[in-house]
Amino acid sequence: MSDGGPQAVAERRKGEVLAIVADIAEVECGEISRTASLESLGIDSLGGLRLVAAIEQKFKIVIDEAEIPRVRTVADVFALVERLGGAPA
């Protein structure tokens, strides 16, 4: 694979997720720790829905409503996208 393989794809995907989180939280990517809670970034329930919609659109995945309450940190978002097989954009 010319793009650096699966690990490079995963890192690129994490960067894309981070950019979406930063956009929703209205902060710079560099200000976000991968272990930060969405709440600490100012992402409330409405922001969470916006985040889910943006992630679904970007990665062409469908996130089950039952999954949403379990997503509390940036790392949870990464794990969810990985588990659902989000396509690289």
Side-chain angles (χ1 to χ4, degrees):
M1 197 177 226
S2 63
D3 63 3
Q7 187 170 352
V9 170
E11 284 303 310
R12 189 168 46 249
R13 190 178 294 137
K14 285 180 181 180
E16 292 167 344
V17 167
L18 202 57
I20 292 169
V21 172
D23 183 54
I24 301 292
E26 298 180 356
V27 298
E28 297 295 320
C29 285
E31 296 177 39
I32 299 174
S33 161
R34 293 179 180 219
T35 59
S37 73
L38 299 178
E39 183 179 3
S40 73
L41 296 171
I43 298 177
D44 59 11
S45 58
L46 180 57
L49 292 175
R50 290 178 49 220
L51 177 63
V52 167
I55 294 287
E56 287 181 328
Q57 182 177 9
K58 177 74 173 181
F59 296 103
K60 299 173 180 40
I61 58 176
V62 175
I63 299 171
D64 189 291
E65 287 182 28
E67 296 281 350
I68 297 170
R70 291 182 264 205
V71 178
R72 296 178 184 223
T73 67
V74 175
D76 291 341
V77 179
F78 292 155
L80 183 63
V81 171
E82 287 297 315
R83 190 165 40 78
L84 294 177

